[in-house]
Amino acid sequence: MTAFGAKRWSVGLSASLALAWLALGWSGAALAAGPEEVAGPGIDPNCFKPWEASTKFYKAAKKNGPYRIALANGFIGNTWRIQMIKTAKAYADQPEIKAMLKEFKVVSTGEDLAAQIAAADNFINSGFDAVIVNALNPAAFAPVVKRANAAGVAILSFDNVIEAPGQVIVNVDQVELGRLAAKWLLKEIKGDAGKLLEVRGPSGNSVDRDRHNGFHEVLDKSGKKFEVIEVVGKWDDGTAQKVTADAVAVHKKFDGVYVQGGSTGTVRALIDAGHPFIPVSGETENGFRKLCAQYADKGLHCSSAGTGPAQVAVTIKAAIAELQGSTIPQAIALPVSYVEYPNIKQGEDYYPELGDNFFVGNSFPACKIGFSATEIMGKSEANQ
């Protein structure tokens, strides 16, 4: 079984889909075009860490730079995505990276899947050397990958990854993030039954699905009887605040909260409603961590886990490595940024001087990737 087998896709690929690929003969050797499946190890293993021991490696034909690289993003309706776009532009402008780029193009198409696919196809047809995708739908981009392979265009996906062979993915284990949240809440909540609020992300995204699945996997195996009320916060503070307020108005009391994103808004809704402080497991927003520290002695206990928007920079770095003919893993694993009560420290885990919308943990030292808030926030999230 290749790296696209059922075990490998803890980031979200179902076992049934993996088996279907095998039945159809999908493997590195079966690809008509695209990168060649080769033996490892790969370049810079501290940065490009294989997902697991059985992860296979890719090597593409070397191209001479400077390169034309495009980012085809979909959803941009929250602060993580905005910071991600700004981080991508900041990384592309760093002198050593800028010297390797002839053009860096960014397009965000919102929640219109057809428009995102069309944008990726346009980059392929326009002769870009590499296309990077944060996919609205994990399965819908499989034909795009095939078209990129046929055209000799490197294609990579990150965060909401494409579930198809023939491309490199860069991601944190999103299923494990859901598991972490459930394990921590079960540890913090007194008793074996109650009601939990789950504030989910945009429907159809693999990150939302994977974190949700990991969360419920742990709850289901715990033997405890927690009712879970689900609302859609779209990883956005304003939306999460509204749907949390609505849920509190209807259900009156919760015993714990898991919020995938928009964590600051969710906590503010609890405070505004006068809800007793309860354990909240959220993302890595600076505002969320500030509130957790501020109200910890009043009973707001938190865990905060995620991965910084700078994973886009790791993906750009991987795209350049692939274009240079280097051997890299088919699936690159990124570390999780995680902190929990009572260890949320000022100046390390949150920064009072920075805005609430800044995502902490936005650096990957193993890849020599890190940004100041000024460097990122000086960029625009607009298409270019």
Side-chain angles (χ1 to χ4, degrees):
M1 182 175 284
T2 71
F4 295 95
K7 180 182 177 184
R8 143 74 188 89
W9 275 110
S10 53
V11 287
L13 176 63
S14 67
S16 59
L17 182 55
L19 292 172
W21 276 345
L22 290 175
L24 290 170
W26 279 99
S27 68
L31 296 173
E36 179 186 2
E37 190 172 286
V38 298
I43 189 175
D44 199 356
N46 291 327
C47 176
F48 304 138
K49 180 182 177 183
W51 192 268
E52 60 187 11
S54 62
T55 297
K56 303 298 183 182
F57 292 80
Y58 276 155
K59 182 179 178 66
K62 181 179 179 179
K63 290 187 175 183
N64 294 324
Y67 305 112
R68 300 174 70 208
I69 296 179
L71 170 59
N73 180 55
F75 182 72
I76 197 173
N78 62 30
T79 54
W80 193 98
R81 289 297 180 100
I82 291 171
Q83 186 172 327
M84 181 271 289
I85 294 294
K86 293 181 177 185
T87 300
K89 292 179 178 181
Y91 186 65
D93 273 347
Q94 290 184 344
E96 66 275 20
I97 303 302
K98 190 171 186 178
M100 292 185 277
L101 298 178
K102 181 178 181 180
E103 181 179 4
F104 181 68
K105 191 81 171 177
V106 177
V107 169
S108 296
T109 55
E111 296 184 70
D112 187 337
L113 176 59
Q116 190 185 19
I117 290 173
D121 280 336
N122 182 59
F123 289 134
I124 293 167
N125 296 333
S126 298
F128 275 75
D129 298 298
V131 176
I132 296 168
V133 178
N134 192 333
L136 281 170
N137 182 284
F141 276 82
V144 177
V145 173
K146 293 176 71 175
R147 290 192 285 271
N149 288 167
V153 176
I155 185 162
L156 304 89
S157 61
F158 72 101
D159 187 36
N160 289 279
V161 297
I162 299 170
E163 292 175 350
Q167 46 104 33
V168 171
I169 73 162
V170 178
N171 209 357
V172 67
D173 190 336
Q174 304 288 355
V175 177
E176 183 60 22
L177 285 175
R179 294 189 191 111
L180 280 172
K183 290 175 183 176
W184 182 82
L185 285 171
L186 291 174
K187 179 182 71 174
E188 285 290 316
I189 296 171
K190 309 305 178 187
D192 295 334
K195 188 176 288 186
L196 304 178
L197 177 64
E198 181 185 7
V199 185
R200 299 188 59 175
S203 301
N205 282 269
S206 64
V207 168
D208 168 72
R209 177 201 64 196
D210 294 348
R211 294 188 184 189
H212 169 80
N213 288 347
F215 182 66
H216 284 269
E217 173 192 313
V218 170
L219 292 180
D220 292 346
K221 290 179 179 178
S222 72
K224 298 184 178 183
K225 304 299 181 183
F226 284 98
E227 179 186 3
V228 180
I229 305 301
E230 296 180 21
V231 295
V232 177
K234 293 193 173 184
W235 305 325
D236 171 68
D237 278 329
T239 307
Q241 185 165 352
K242 181 183 184 305
V243 297
T244 299
D246 291 345
V248 171
V250 171
H251 296 277
K252 308 305 180 186
K253 183 180 181 299
F254 291 98
D255 298 284
V257 179
Y258 172 40
V259 51
Q260 291 187 15
S263 315
T264 312
T266 287
V267 171
R268 285 179 176 152
L270 293 173
I271 294 171
D272 291 346
H275 193 288
F277 283 123
I278 52 177
V280 178
S281 181
E283 244 281 355
T284 61
E285 299 101 329
N286 192 51
F288 171 57
R289 291 184 174 185
K290 286 195 289 187
L291 289 172
C292 293
Q294 180 181 350
Y295 292 104
D297 61 350
K298 294 180 174 60
L300 178 60
H301 295 177
C302 305
S303 72
S304 172
T307 183
Q311 63 177 278
V312 68
V314 180
T315 312
I316 296 170
K317 184 181 178 78
I320 293 171
E322 181 175 345
L323 291 171
Q324 290 175 331
S326 300
T327 298
I328 58 175
Q330 293 179 5
I332 296 170
L334 297 177
V336 170
S337 172
Y338 182 79
V339 65
E340 64 180 46
Y341 170 85
N343 300 314
I344 303 177
K345 300 175 181 177
Q346 180 176 326
E348 182 177 332
D349 303 308
Y350 71 95
Y351 300 87
E353 70 276 12
L354 297 181
D356 290 351
N357 292 336
F358 186 79
F359 279 77
V360 188
N362 196 37
S363 63
F364 295 97
C367 297
K368 298 180 176 61
I369 289 174
F371 302 90
S372 67
T374 302
E375 187 178 7
I376 296 169
M377 296 309 172
K379 300 298 181 182
S380 166
E381 69 270 24
N383 291 346
Q384 66 175 35

